[in-house]
Amino acid sequence: MRLNRIALANFRQHADTRIDFDTGLTGIIGPNGSGKTTILEAVAWAIYGNPAARGTRDSIRFNRAGPRATVRVELDFDLAGNRYRIVRGLTNAELFLDGSPTPIANSISGVTELLTRRLGMTRDEFFNTYFTGQKELSVMAAMKPAERAQFLSHVLGYERLRAAQKILRERLSEIRAHAMGLRQGMPDADIVLRQRAEAGARCKAARDAAARTRAERERAERVVADVRPRWELVQREREALQALLSELRVAEGEETALARDTERLERELADVAATRTEREALTRELAPYPALHVEFQRLELLAREEGRRQTLLASHAALDDEVAKLRERRARIETAPRLEEEATDTLRERREALELLDGQLEARRTEWVRDRQEAETKRQALRDQYSELKQQRDRLAAAGEDGACPTCARPLKGTLRSVLDLLDSQIETVRVDGNYYKGRMEQLLEMPADLRESDDQRRALTQEVSALERRLMKVQLAVQELAQLGGEIDTKDDRLASLVRELDAIPAGYDAERHETVRQELDRLMPLDARATRLSAQAEREPVLLRERAQVRDAVANVRARLTDLRARQAAMTISENQFTTLRDEHERAAQTLRTAELAGASAESELAAAELALAQAEGAARELEERQRLLGELNTRKRLHDELDRAYTDLRTDLNFQLRPELSELASGFLAELTNARYTELELDDQYNVLVLEDGLPKPVISGGEEDMANLVLRLAISQMIAERAGQPFSLLILDEIFGSLDEAHRSSVLDLLRGLHDRFEQVILITHIESVRDMLDQVVTVRYDEETGTSVVRRDAPPLSLGEEIAERKRGLLEEAGAAD
């Protein structure tokens, strides 16, 4: 595989990037975060789609792209004599072959599947051959032996055998479990055969018993058929007699009820005749009742109006008293407005005096506090100075004449005494000044007399202002109350006038004594009036009672005629109770016999059905036994086949692992000999999969850092070569991403020389690095930087460095041009 060109549009931070690739060593150089690795990520994404990209599909789009901007990667490469061009976006993909304008695949999955088949590699195999990521050169160094073997098996595809064997063993476990379940659920064959024989015998006996019960039931049915017509006739005759007797009892009951109704009606008619006389007497006594009732209603109305008059009089008296009190209160506070003006003027004068005194007092207090703080500050400074001078003198006195001068640091020698005297003089001066400020502070501790007197005056003036403010507030409240009193007095005067008008409108003439007399007379006559009403209602029922008596008499005549007819029909009946009893007993015996036969038949049929079901179950169990035996035989055959496959997989993995280390060692040794000019010709993987460099057939005990990098590199190249060969592809492309790590300049130069020495095997090597110093050792250089202002990666193809011959020729041409210019 050989890369020709790649173009990126809105792919991560690459808004518009195009790179042409050549053979030889190509370096993609730029600082971390500039977008170098993103270029190779785009190569993998173009081939394998979203699984080859970091993050989610939404994170691929350039974050500053417009809403309609498309994500697009176009990759051009050669493979096995053909030229391929891939155009992939987030929602589409196309693959073109050998410059054809028509794509050979035009869907996301179709392009990915076709390229996977053409390359012969999965995405993981592609990354393990063509790509070597950051810090992957020494990936096996930190592994344990078992981990190294597993890693090599994984990258070389041997793990697929392990996965296939795992699936095989899972299926083998399922077969074993299925067979075990069949054996555990399989009944004993002898028991199944014995149960089927017993069910057959039981079914034959049940059929014979069912035939006997059917014959007995047919005989019982014939007896019942002979008795049933005579029994049904007797039943009909007896039912007719019972109906006649029932109708006769009903008619006799109706005759008795009509006799009771006749007696009741005669009593009620006699009561009506008596009430007529009583009602006439009550009518005469109730003659004055209507007039009294009208008079009572009039007196009731006058009584209610009289009560209202008394209520209004009470309200008038109370309201009159309230108005008098309000007028008296208004007279007392009529001077409030004038007092408010006087209080306001006095309060303003006292407040002005208080503000003036407050200003003077605050200024005097500030001056007093400032003097006290100044004295305290100066006294503290003198105390610190005194302490410092005392310490200096004590140190000089203790050191003697060998002590150093505190000013010039030279030995004092004979000047010690004069220095001590000078310090004593300074100490005394500081002590005298300190005593002065101490006395000054004691004087300023107490508040001065003029300040205290001013403070007393301010306190007295403050109390006077407070008293004036309270008095002004009371006067202002009285002014407000005066305005309210006027409105209340007017309102209450209007209410008094309204009460007088209401009193004048109330009618007079109420007589309480007559009211009570009429009430008592009405109370006496009211029960009599109710009695008269009831008697009138009873008297009005006389015509109804007369009609009802006539109807009852007609009904009595009808019932008596019906009773005569029913008794004649009863005498004509010929059936006797003995005949009915004899036929009933005979019919019951026949029916009982039939029921017994039917029950026996049902029991026999039920037994026959159970026996046939047991026989069917026994035969089904026999068939199931035969089917389970057949399935168990098939499972045993499949188990033997899977056991043989499992052993074959194990032997194959053992053989492959046995051949792995020698084959890898041989490939790596070939690379090592080419890279070191045959200085080292052998590289071996020991039993622990450690990398050993052999010198004269013996492991070299100590290798340098560069030799270790060389060993790791050739092993990585050998692994990639083995994967590529097994995929059927020539291994001509190698991409190394930040493989230098912490290598120094010499080791980096060594690795580059080694890669250049493999040009015949890897015609195209692409290095991604942030190290600028390797720029001159590369054939082509692509510089990548990140533009903070636009948020995009900027890619530039640099001019290739000159070879030694080209550089000499260029210098000669420059000298000739200089000579010609001098002439």
Side-chain angles (χ1 to χ4, degrees):
M1 180 178 184
R2 178 181 179 277
L3 301 180
N4 296 321
R5 183 180 67 257
I6 188 169
L8 290 72
N10 296 316
F11 186 85
R12 299 202 188 279
Q13 69 267 43
H14 287 271
D16 185 11
T17 298
R18 177 188 173 95
I19 302 175
D20 293 321
F21 296 100
D22 293 330
T23 59
L25 282 175
T26 299
I28 300 178
I29 302 176
N32 293 330
S34 60
K36 306 184 301 297
T37 304
T38 303
I39 297 173
L40 297 186
E41 181 187 8
V43 173
W45 186 72
I47 298 173
Y48 292 101
N50 290 329
R54 298 167 293 174
T56 63
R57 194 182 79 163
D58 294 336
S59 66
I60 294 177
R61 180 188 295 274
F62 177 41
N63 56 9
R64 297 191 185 183
R68 297 183 178 275
T70 58
V71 177
R72 175 187 172 96
V73 173
E74 181 178 351
L75 177 65
D76 187 305
F77 66 92
D78 293 334
L79 178 67
N82 297 110
R83 185 158 185 165
Y84 295 86
R85 183 170 66 91
I86 312 167
V87 180
R88 186 182 290 271
L90 292 177
T91 59
N92 64 298
E94 292 180 330
L95 178 62
F96 300 88
L97 178 65
D98 295 333
S100 172
T102 303
I104 60 175
N106 57 3
S107 67
I108 293 177
S109 59
V111 169
T112 302
E113 292 173 1
L114 180 58
L115 286 174
T116 302
R117 291 197 304 270
R118 294 292 174 91
L119 286 170
M121 298 180 184
T122 64
R123 177 175 59 88
D124 294 336
E125 291 171 341
F126 184 79
F127 275 97
N128 285 323
T129 55
Y130 293 116
F131 283 82
T132 297
Q134 300 180 16
K135 303 180 181 178
E136 287 185 5
L137 281 182
S138 58
V139 66
M140 294 176 58
M143 293 182 180
K144 296 179 181 179
E147 293 174 343
R148 296 190 190 108
Q150 186 175 359
F151 170 76
L152 290 174
S153 297
H154 175 71
V155 299
L156 293 172
Y158 295 168
E159 285 300 308
R160 285 178 289 184
L161 292 176
R162 184 188 298 274
Q165 189 174 20
K166 181 180 178 181
I167 295 172
L168 175 69
R169 289 178 176 177
E170 290 176 354
R171 292 179 179 174
L172 182 59
S173 298
E174 292 175 359
I175 292 171
R176 289 172 177 169
H178 192 184
M180 183 178 294
L182 283 176
R183 282 193 294 270
Q184 291 177 350
M186 188 181 298
D188 192 317
D190 295 337
I191 295 175
V192 171
L193 295 176
R194 185 172 64 253
Q195 288 177 347
R196 183 168 63 177
E198 292 174 352
R202 178 185 173 188
C203 189
K204 183 178 181 303
R207 290 193 185 99
D208 295 340
R212 288 193 300 271
T213 57
R214 289 192 197 100
E216 292 176 0
R217 185 178 63 189
E218 290 174 356
R219 287 194 298 271
E221 287 176 350
R222 288 194 295 271
V223 173
V224 170
D226 180 60
V227 175
R228 182 178 290 118
R230 291 180 287 121
W231 165 243
E232 291 177 351
L233 177 60
V234 170
Q235 275 188 319
R236 286 193 297 272
E237 292 179 353
R238 190 171 185 274
E239 287 174 358
L241 179 60
Q242 294 294 335
L244 182 62
L245 291 175
S246 175
E247 189 175 354
L248 185 60
R249 285 193 296 271
V250 170
E252 289 173 347
E254 290 179 0
E255 184 182 20
T256 304
L258 289 171
R260 287 195 299 270
D261 289 342
T262 301
E263 292 176 358
R264 176 180 58 79
L265 290 171
E266 294 295 340
R267 287 194 305 271
E268 289 184 0
L269 287 170
D271 290 340
V272 168
T275 57
R276 190 181 294 111
T277 304
E278 184 181 358
R279 186 183 62 178
E280 292 174 355
L282 288 175
T283 301
R284 290 191 297 271
E285 187 175 358
L286 289 171
Y289 181 75
L292 289 174
H293 186 70
V294 172
E295 185 181 2
F296 179 75
Q297 290 181 344
R298 184 180 62 81
L299 290 172
E300 279 285 315
L301 178 60
L302 291 175
R304 287 196 296 271
E305 292 296 328
E306 184 62 25
R308 182 163 167 263
R309 182 198 304 277
Q310 296 301 323
T311 301
L312 291 175
L313 288 173
S315 299
H316 185 278
L319 192 59
D320 195 21
D321 184 57
E322 291 179 5
V323 170
K325 291 180 180 178
L326 290 173
R327 294 182 188 280
E328 182 182 354
R329 173 63 179 165
R330 184 174 64 179
R332 286 200 303 270
I333 64 174
E334 283 180 344
T335 60
R338 180 177 55 80
L339 294 175
E340 182 183 11
E341 294 179 0
E342 295 176 357
T344 301
D345 294 339
T346 305
L347 179 61
R348 184 171 58 254
E349 293 175 359
R350 305 315 294 164
R351 281 178 176 170
E352 292 175 355
L354 178 61
E355 290 176 0
L356 180 59
L357 184 58
D358 275 340
Q360 296 173 352
L361 180 62
E362 187 62 29
R364 183 68 182 91
R365 186 191 301 276
T366 301
E367 182 181 357
W368 170 56
V369 171
R370 185 175 61 251
D371 291 345
R372 188 174 63 182
Q373 290 177 349
E374 183 179 0
E376 184 176 359
T377 301
K378 290 185 176 180
R379 182 170 180 268
Q380 184 61 38
L382 290 171
R383 292 178 66 180
D384 295 341
Q385 185 179 0
Y386 178 83
S387 176
E388 183 180 356
L389 291 172
K390 189 71 169 61
Q391 290 177 0
Q392 288 182 4
R393 189 189 185 289
D394 292 343
R395 286 199 302 271
L396 291 176
E401 293 184 352
D402 294 333
C405 176
T407 302
C408 61
R410 293 195 297 272
L412 294 173
K413 302 298 182 180
T415 62
L416 175 63
R417 184 70 261 167
S418 61
V419 173
L420 291 177
D421 291 342
L422 178 61
L423 291 175
D424 288 339
S425 174
Q426 292 176 352
I427 290 171
E428 182 62 22
T429 301
V430 170
R431 186 179 61 78
V432 171
D433 291 344
N435 290 333
Y436 167 75
Y437 282 107
K438 178 181 179 183
R440 179 63 177 163
M441 282 183 61
E442 291 174 353
Q443 292 175 1
L444 294 173
L445 283 176
E446 294 184 1
M447 185 183 295
D450 60 338
L451 184 59
R452 189 164 49 253
E453 181 179 356
S454 297
D455 189 52
D456 293 339
Q457 290 176 1
R458 184 184 61 80
R459 189 178 298 108
L461 193 55
T462 301
Q463 293 175 355
E464 183 180 355
V465 169
S466 298
L468 287 172
E469 288 175 346
R470 288 193 296 272
R471 180 183 176 190
L472 178 60
M473 185 178 298
K474 291 180 179 179
V475 172
Q476 290 173 343
L477 291 175
V479 171
Q480 295 176 1
E481 185 181 1
L482 182 62
Q484 294 175 356
L485 286 175
E488 290 183 11
I489 290 172
D490 294 341
T491 301
K492 292 184 182 299
D493 285 340
D494 294 341
R495 178 58 181 158
L496 282 172
S498 176
L499 288 175
V500 170
R501 287 193 297 272
E502 289 183 19
L503 286 170
D504 293 340
I506 293 175
Y510 175 66
D511 187 352
E513 184 177 353
R514 177 59 183 168
H515 190 192
E516 183 61 27
T517 300
V518 173
R519 184 194 304 277
Q520 291 176 0
E521 185 64 17
L522 284 176
D523 290 343
R524 185 184 70 80
L525 294 176
M526 192 175 295
L528 298 177
D529 182 63
R531 175 64 179 168
T533 303
R534 288 193 298 273
L535 292 175
S536 298
Q538 291 178 0
E540 291 173 355
R541 291 188 68 244
E542 184 177 10
V544 177
L545 293 174
L546 290 174
R547 287 193 301 272
E548 188 175 351
R549 185 177 63 178
Q551 292 173 356
V552 169
R553 286 175 180 176
D554 294 339
V556 168
N558 293 331
V559 167
R560 286 175 181 173
R562 189 153 52 91
L563 282 172
T564 301
D565 179 61
L566 291 173
R567 289 188 181 107
R569 289 168 57 191
Q570 180 183 7
M573 292 287 184
T574 60
I575 186 172
S576 66
E577 190 66 25
N578 290 333
Q579 291 175 340
F580 177 78
T581 303
T582 301
L583 281 174
R584 183 187 64 187
D585 293 343
E586 184 180 357
H587 181 269
E588 287 180 353
R589 284 193 300 272
Q592 180 63 35
T593 302
L594 178 59
R595 283 195 296 271
T596 302
E598 288 175 346
L599 290 174
S603 176
E605 294 293 339
S606 176
E607 175 62 22
L608 177 59
E612 289 176 347
L613 178 63
L615 178 60
Q617 290 175 346
E619 291 177 349
R623 289 193 298 272
E624 184 180 358
L625 176 62
E626 293 174 358
E627 180 65 19
R628 286 176 178 264
Q629 289 174 343
R630 184 186 65 79
L631 288 176
L632 185 60
E634 292 179 358
L635 290 174
N636 287 330
T637 302
R638 290 171 60 190
K639 176 180 174 298
R640 288 193 297 272
L641 175 62
H642 281 73
D643 285 336
E644 189 64 28
L645 270 174
D646 185 33
R647 285 192 295 272
Y649 271 128
T650 302
D651 295 342
L652 178 59
R653 288 177 56 243
T654 302
D655 294 342
L656 289 174
N657 286 329
F658 181 77
Q659 297 172 4
L660 172 64
R661 288 188 294 109
E663 189 174 352
L664 272 178
S665 299
E666 182 179 355
L667 285 173
S669 298
F671 283 125
L672 184 64
E674 292 182 17
L675 297 177
T676 60
N677 294 323
R679 178 184 175 188
Y680 299 112
T681 59
E682 288 187 71
L683 184 145
E684 183 180 86
L685 291 176
D686 65 6
D687 295 341
Q688 303 297 319
Y689 287 88
N690 293 314
V691 180
L692 302 178
V693 177
L694 303 182
E695 189 173 18
D696 297 330
L698 297 175
K700 189 175 181 181
V702 179
I703 60 176
S704 65
E707 292 170 339
E708 182 179 4
D709 293 337
M710 176 185 62
N712 289 329
L713 177 60
V714 298
L715 178 60
R716 177 69 168 124
L717 295 176
I719 293 172
S720 301
Q721 175 87 7
M722 186 179 292
I723 295 174
E725 289 176 352
R726 293 183 181 183
Q729 297 292 347
F731 192 45
S732 58
L733 170 65
L734 183 62
I735 300 174
L736 305 174
D737 186 7
E738 295 288 3
I739 63 167
F740 295 120
S742 59
L743 295 178
D744 57 19
E745 188 70 28
H747 286 159
R748 289 197 292 268
S749 177
S750 175
V751 170
L752 289 172
D753 290 341
L754 299 180
L755 293 174
R756 192 178 297 280
L758 293 175
H759 179 69
D760 60 336
R761 195 177 299 246
F762 300 106
E763 63 175 343
Q764 191 176 46
V765 178
I766 300 175
L767 289 172
I768 301 175
T769 181
H770 64 279
I771 300 174
E772 293 284 343
S773 59
V774 302
R775 183 183 295 270
D776 295 336
M777 292 180 279
L778 301 172
D779 297 329
Q780 296 90 27
V781 175
V782 177
T783 301
V784 183
R785 65 178 181 84
Y786 182 72
D787 189 341
E788 295 285 349
E789 183 176 351
T790 61
T792 61
S793 294
V794 179
V795 179
R796 185 187 73 250
R797 176 74 178 266
D798 296 347
L802 298 176
S803 64
L804 181 59
E806 291 173 337
E807 186 176 359
I808 294 173
E810 184 66 24
R811 287 183 179 180
K812 287 181 177 180
R813 188 162 46 253
L815 291 174
L816 291 175
E817 289 177 355
E818 290 178 0
D823 294 340

